[in-house]
Amino acid sequence: MSIRHLDRLLDAKSVAVIGASDRPGSVGATVWRNLRAGHFAGPIYALNPKHATLDGETVFRRPADLPQVPDLAVLCTPPATVPGLIDELGRFGTRAAIVMTAGLSTAQKQATLDAARPHLLRILGPNCLGLLSPQIGLNASFAHTDALVGNVAFVSQSGALVTAVLDWAKSRHIGFSHMISLGEHADVDFGDLLDYLASDSRTRSILLYIESIEAPRKFMSAARAAARNKPVIVVKAGRAGNGVKAAASHTGALAGSDVVFDAAIRRAGMLRVDTLQDLFMAAETLARFGGNRDEALTLMTNGGGAGVMAADAAALAGIPLRDLSDVVRSKLDAVLPSTWSHGNPIDIIGDAPVARYTETLQTLLADRDSGAVLFMHAPTAIVRSDDIARACVPIVRESPGRVMACWLGDAAVADARRIFEDAGVADYATPEEAVRAFAMLRTYRRNQALLLEAPTASENGLPDIAAARQPIEAALAEGREMLDEVEAKAVLKAYGIPVVETVAAGPSASAVCTAARTLGYPLALKILSPDISHKSDVGGVCLNLSDENDLRDAVGEMLSRVSALRPQAKIAGFTLQRMVKRPHAQELIVGTSIDSVFGPVLLFGQGGTAVEVLADTAIALPPLNRVLARELVSRTRVAKLLAGYRDHPPVRLDAVCDVLISLSQMLADLPELAELDINPLWADHEGVIALDARLRVSREKRAGAANFAITPYPVELVENITWHGEPITLRPIRPEDEAQHRAFVEQLKPQDLRLRFFSVRRELPRSELARLTQIDYAREMAFIAVRHLPGATQETLGVVRAVIDPDNVDAEFAIVVRSDLKGQGLGHMLLRKMIDFLVQRGTQRMVGLVLRENDAMRDLVRTHGFVVDAAASDVDALHYVLTLQVHAETTEFDALAVK
């Protein structure tokens, strides 16, 4: 991923239009006109060998003829000319170009990228509408109108939608920091722009229109980083596609690409909406009401109908309405007519004067348990709406982020609506829209909570990977993709998943009866065939066989049924398993599959033979931890049954979560794993047990941690060493380290805290501790030195941290060792480990600020080869730099990688 030279694209100081023209209706003429019609302060040059002047301006023949190197070039020329022009521009010194030209062949696109690569010249497009950056007056597009200045960035794969949104937003006085049409995004893509816009001071929120994602890990890493800084809201086309082709397992059939995209958006802390109107409504809600953390609403209205509509919308969205406390009810009785609703919604009656509004609002906002307040008003002839608004605004301002408004009507409430909007209150046209916005905010908060989760390896202990690989490798050696039931359960068992004991027998009644004597009765009998995945579909399952006679009869009948229904199927034999009696068990399905875009995914839901009919499933991206596993379970209807009902005690949910975490680890460890489902997985108050499993493998190796869309915990970087005769561990930090990291910080002396954080701190807030322990390993690393204590606990002795820029050029580092352990070599070990890691990653430099008075740190970094960059230093701190010896074979960064 790279933001290299994107400032030349989005904050250009000079622009050249290649193919500028005076031909009416041409792209070159439209772009030239739009650039000149705007308020762009820098020089604008026209290039066209067929013209000498254009609108009184000199026209140049080629880039080298220009009086200065333009930051940005806009190409509106035929496809065959594009690669050569990009080469000329790169040699001349231009570092950004918009290729509006459509119709480039694959070879021409590749030639264009090859020409740009030596110069790191960034390319937007080809086949795009261009971009608008209103804050600098730049309209480098062939859009029909300019954009208003604002602080919302809009990035779209559809140029037509850019023009539609421009028109729509302008009529509603919505402004933008940037509007960007990606076109075919041969170079600059969503990941690049998210990285740039995340730190762009002119952008408050980022809106995306997405049709496809080609670089999922890059996209997810950039999206997660951006979503930590500001709201990112997405409209994704293709929600109702043609579905997914039938796969060899239920999980494969159920894991459709759109639900996987939903899971990715959720995990990245972004918000997905369905329409362009919702896109802007969500942006406005997050800007004006985003600080609200309430889960329930209190409805206040001067008309019963509006209250009923809002209450109905809340019920449909699953948003509870607050019960009024006796204190609040008593206070409202004192200020409202006796005919008021005496409940939520609070109907203050249509003849309400201004005082009734203000007194009701004051009462509700004084009670924190009232939660968020939806203020609704329909105009009447009794009192002016703007008078009500002026009187209520001071009350609203005293409780920021508590009130959302709905002024019903148009001209009669226009002034009131403006007064509230000027006060920063989120306003909505209808009660239903306001409730929908509140529901969006709740979803956004939950997604943001998931963003803070950075899972580690399995919490079930170390799996027996060798035992799991044995049946997989045997199947692949035999040319098989499907493991039989016994082999599939062996893999599950190797990962600590409880399975019912299962044995295989040959395809005869005598062989089956002999095998049955090792298990005892009652038994379950299942057909064993590489050609039959869903056994129950062909009558290949028989339960509760009580003795040998029943078993012999069942074998004969099953062979007859299967032969009639699937005459071509090869019968390898049967499997037998002891009947498990768990009367309160709930049937579940858990499984894994490989999505064509986001790679490995996990599925959870209600299981059994009717799993597709029930359609009660949810999807998540690995890796998982307990929090994420519980969240996955919570998104299904069966979750309510797992909580217990009637004589069914609650299911041991941690056992269910452990299975999901084990499957997540399995996906990381076993690249050959193509599809797996466990159906049914029985779960009750005693735990879980897998009754049946299907597992498909592939030589393509599309699973494995390297194919995860989210970088998993880098367990390979864990290192056990000896320090002064004591065993300690150097390892990447984990979210679970938060408590011990707090203890570590609390043991630092005030002077050491000041030297590390450049300020005196008594304690770190929980939000900052979470940020320090819940990191995105794709762009940040923190190694901690830990001592092992009795009772499987640990304590942190020191930490080194590096935040790597999106270009993988600079890594800004910091290091601190516990105050009572300084001078004993820990700092050297930690810093050496970080240097080695960054060298292997391909990072070019380590940089860091060190206070001039911090003699110990200055000695440490000098010992490891850091030198002072005097130009970047100041009177208080020195800027140290270490140029890393990057191994070429480990460097993966390429700013112009072909997608």
Side-chain angles (χ1 to χ4, degrees):
M1 68 201 73
S2 174
I3 59 172
R4 189 77 60 85
H5 300 320
L6 289 189
D7 58 330
R8 307 286 186 93
L9 181 72
L10 297 169
D11 195 16
K13 302 298 186 291
S14 56
V15 184
V17 181
I18 304 179
S21 170
D22 58 1
R23 182 163 53 89
S26 67
V27 172
T30 306
V31 172
W32 174 251
R33 185 189 67 233
N34 282 348
L35 274 167
R36 287 171 53 81
H39 304 287
F40 184 68
I44 303 170
Y45 302 111
L47 285 85
N48 192 325
K50 298 179 180 179
H51 295 277
T53 61
L54 190 61
D55 295 332
E57 300 289 336
T58 301
V59 178
F60 300 90
R61 292 182 60 83
R62 54 189 305 164
D65 297 334
L66 291 170
Q68 72 175 75
V69 177
D71 280 350
L72 173 64
V74 184
L75 277 65
C76 314
T77 61
T81 66
V82 172
L85 286 168
I86 291 295
D87 180 62
E88 285 189 61
L89 288 163
R91 293 177 186 276
F92 190 50
T94 298
R95 293 295 176 259
I98 303 172
V99 179
M100 295 186 173
T101 308
L104 270 71
S105 67
T106 301
Q108 288 168 335
K109 280 188 278 190
Q110 186 59 57
T112 299
L113 293 173
D114 291 342
R117 182 175 287 106
H119 315 289
L120 288 180
L121 189 156
R122 308 312 304 277
I123 295 173
L124 181 66
N127 189 20
C128 69
L129 179 88
L131 70 86
L132 301 91
S133 293
Q135 300 214 23
I136 60 170
L138 178 66
N139 182 354
S141 78
F142 58 90
H144 66 295
T145 185
D146 207 345
L148 299 176
V149 176
N151 47 27
V152 176
F154 180 53
V155 184
S156 171
Q157 274 182 282
S158 166
L161 271 182
V162 171
T163 60
V165 167
L166 259 176
D167 211 38
W168 184 88
K170 200 166 188 179
S171 68
R172 289 160 177 79
H173 307 289
I174 297 172
F176 296 89
S177 58
H178 306 281
M179 295 195 79
I180 306 165
S181 165
L182 279 178
E184 296 178 29
H185 48 92
D187 170 29
V188 176
D189 62 8
F190 281 114
D192 299 324
L193 291 170
L194 281 168
D195 270 323
Y196 181 88
L197 295 171
S199 56
D200 178 31
S201 61
R202 296 166 174 166
T203 299
R204 184 184 65 191
S205 56
I206 304 169
L207 313 184
L208 307 178
Y209 170 77
I210 297 176
E211 292 175 353
S212 62
I213 297 293
E214 282 77 29
R217 179 172 280 193
K218 172 183 176 180
F219 171 78
M220 288 296 289
S221 181
R224 286 161 62 84
R228 289 177 186 270
N229 288 345
K230 56 192 68 172
V232 182
I233 309 164
V234 177
V235 168
K236 166 67 166 63
R239 186 181 281 274
N242 293 326
V244 183
K245 292 182 179 179
S249 71
H250 290 299
T251 300
L254 292 169
S257 60
D258 193 69
V259 292
V260 176
F261 186 87
D262 262 346
I265 292 299
R266 184 180 300 110
R267 185 71 172 274
M270 300 186 287
L271 175 66
R272 182 179 186 181
V273 296
D274 294 325
T275 67
L276 290 173
Q277 184 174 356
D278 283 351
L279 193 71
F280 288 96
M281 183 176 75
E284 190 71 6
T285 300
L286 290 170
R288 294 175 175 267
F289 196 66
N292 186 274
R293 294 292 181 268
D294 293 306
E295 289 290 318
L297 271 173
T298 295
L299 308 178
M300 172 184 166
T301 177
N302 70 331
V308 171
M309 292 165 66
D312 284 349
L316 288 172
I319 295 172
L321 300 183
R322 289 285 189 195
D323 291 329
L324 301 182
S325 68
D326 291 341
V327 173
V328 169
R329 201 184 304 272
S330 175
K331 288 182 178 179
L332 291 177
D333 281 337
V335 298
L336 296 179
S338 59
T339 53
W340 79 280
S341 58
H342 292 86
N344 188 4
I346 299 167
D347 183 0
I348 66 173
I349 313 303
D351 64 350
V354 170
R356 200 181 295 171
Y357 285 91
T358 57
E359 290 167 346
T360 301
L361 200 53
Q362 284 175 327
T363 298
L364 294 177
L365 294 179
D367 176 51
R368 197 60 194 80
D369 290 338
S370 295
V373 176
L374 173 53
F375 175 102
M376 292 173 284
H377 168 80
T380 70
I382 296 174
V383 61
R384 290 174 57 91
S385 300
D386 54 340
D387 288 342
I388 296 169
R390 290 188 189 91
C392 290
V393 156
I395 302 169
V396 172
R397 281 183 171 145
E398 290 177 3
S399 300
R402 290 279 306 280
V403 177
M404 53 199 323
C406 172
W407 297 92
L408 287 157
D410 193 1
V413 295
D415 289 341
R417 182 177 289 123
R418 178 186 51 77
I419 292 167
F420 260 45
E421 287 177 350
D422 289 346
V425 180
D427 182 78
Y428 305 92
T430 67
E432 296 93 338
E433 188 178 279
V435 171
R436 190 164 75 252
F438 187 82
M440 286 180 186
L441 178 61
R442 185 178 62 171
T443 300
Y444 176 73
R445 285 199 306 268
R446 293 175 180 177
N447 293 357
Q448 283 279 296
L450 296 183
L451 176 62
L452 296 179
E453 296 295 331
T456 65
S458 170
E459 300 180 13
N460 301 337
L462 294 175
D464 188 345
I465 299 177
R469 294 202 60 82
Q470 187 174 357
I472 291 174
E473 291 171 354
L476 290 173
E478 296 170 12
R480 289 187 289 124
E481 285 194 340
M482 294 300 301
L483 272 61
D484 65 35
E485 185 179 355
V486 175
E487 291 171 325
K489 286 181 176 175
V491 175
L492 301 185
K493 190 173 181 181
Y495 275 81
I497 298 173
V499 298
V500 62
E501 186 179 358
T502 303
V503 297
S508 67
S510 60
V512 170
C513 291
T514 300
R517 296 185 191 115
T518 65
L519 292 176
Y521 294 90
L523 289 173
L525 176 73
K526 300 178 185 179
I527 200 73
L528 185 60
S529 168
D531 302 318
I532 299 173
S533 179
H534 303 307
K535 306 174 187 68
S536 58
D537 291 351
V538 295
V541 178
C542 195
L543 306 177
N544 290 307
L545 301 173
S546 58
D547 54 34
E548 188 168 306
N549 290 331
D550 284 350
L551 185 56
R552 285 184 181 275
D553 292 343
V555 168
E557 293 169 3
M558 189 176 293
L559 287 173
S560 296
R561 283 195 302 272
V562 172
S563 177
L565 293 171
R566 297 287 296 275
Q568 304 301 320
K570 178 183 176 182
I571 306 301
F574 298 88
T575 59
L576 287 163
Q577 60 189 51
R578 187 78 179 269
M579 289 297 300
V580 179
K581 295 190 181 297
R582 305 273 281 261
H584 296 307
Q586 178 67 49
E587 285 191 326
L588 305 174
I589 180 173
V590 296
T592 70
S593 185
I594 309 296
D595 182 68
S596 59
V597 176
F598 289 98
V601 298
L602 294 125
L603 176 140
F604 171 84
Q606 189 166 359
T609 56
V611 62
E612 287 99 341
V613 177
L614 295 172
D616 180 24
T617 57
I619 294 286
L621 299 185
L624 295 185
N625 60 10
R626 282 259 175 88
V627 173
L628 292 167
R630 281 178 175 267
E631 190 277 336
L632 171 60
V633 172
S634 73
R635 286 188 275 120
T636 60
R637 297 188 299 276
V638 75
K640 295 180 179 179
L641 298 179
L642 302 184
Y645 61 98
R646 293 187 178 177
D647 64 334
H648 287 61
V651 164
R652 191 154 67 86
L653 194 56
D654 280 349
V656 176
C657 293
D658 286 343
V659 173
L660 291 166
I661 295 167
S662 290
L663 295 188
S664 172
Q665 187 63 37
M666 199 181 295
L667 281 168
D669 296 339
L670 306 176
E672 300 87 353
L673 181 57
E675 289 180 12
L676 164 68
D677 65 45
I678 305 172
N679 183 26
L681 175 75
W682 275 8
D684 61 12
H685 60 287
E686 297 179 17
V688 296
I689 188 166
L691 270 62
D692 200 0
R694 300 174 183 84
L695 196 156
R696 185 172 70 84
V697 294
S698 171
R699 294 185 184 275
E700 292 183 9
K701 297 185 177 181
R702 295 177 60 200
N707 291 311
F708 282 15
I710 299 172
T711 305
Y713 182 77
V715 67
E716 69 278 3
L717 297 176
V718 176
E719 181 182 2
N720 295 309
I721 63 171
T722 300
W723 172 65
H724 295 297
E726 177 185 3
I728 64 171
T729 299
L730 302 182
R731 62 168 173 80
I733 202 165
R734 300 186 303 221
E736 296 90 333
D737 295 324
E738 185 178 317
Q740 72 185 57
H741 206 69
R742 178 184 293 279
F744 166 72
V745 172
E746 289 174 348
Q747 291 182 51
L748 295 174
K749 293 179 179 178
Q751 173 69 354
D752 291 332
L753 280 170
R754 191 179 69 82
L755 294 176
R756 164 60 180 89
F757 295 103
F758 288 29
S759 63
V760 178
R761 297 178 171 204
R762 294 185 178 180
E763 63 179 20
L764 293 181
R766 197 268 161 181
S767 59
E768 186 160 353
L769 276 167
R771 185 186 63 79
L772 292 173
T773 56
Q774 300 167 359
I775 64 175
D776 181 350
Y777 301 109
R779 55 181 60 217
E780 182 176 359
M781 181 53 68
F783 291 114
I784 58 174
V786 296
R787 172 186 282 155
H788 302 273
L789 302 175
T793 59
Q794 297 179 345
E795 63 176 350
T796 298
L797 311 179
V799 59
V800 61
R801 185 178 305 274
V803 178
I804 305 142
D805 72 30
D807 289 324
N808 201 26
V809 173
D810 285 345
E812 185 174 356
F813 82 98
I815 186 170
V816 63
V817 173
R818 212 171 71 185
S819 299
D820 60 329
L821 300 175
K822 291 166 65 175
Q824 299 183 41
L826 273 176
H828 285 279
M829 288 190 295
L830 285 165
L831 187 56
R832 185 72 255 167
K833 187 167 182 68
M834 183 60 78
I835 291 171
D836 291 343
F837 166 74
L838 292 172
V839 166
Q840 292 300 314
R841 180 189 170 91
T843 309
Q844 297 178 26
R845 301 191 310 169
M846 283 182 74
V847 300
L849 283 177
V850 180
L851 289 176
R852 290 180 180 270
E853 65 191 88
N854 194 347
D855 295 332
M857 182 60 66
R858 292 173 62 184
D859 289 342
L860 173 63
V861 296
R862 280 198 299 261
T863 301
H864 287 268
F866 285 79
V867 295
V868 173
D869 180 354
S873 302
D874 58 33
V875 294
D876 296 317
L878 296 170
H879 188 263
Y880 279 94
V881 178
L882 175 66
T883 300
L884 301 173
Q885 299 300 313
V886 178
H887 300 304
E889 65 271 17
T890 66
T891 304
E892 298 178 355
F893 167 72
D894 186 344
L896 295 168
V898 180
K899 305 296 185 291

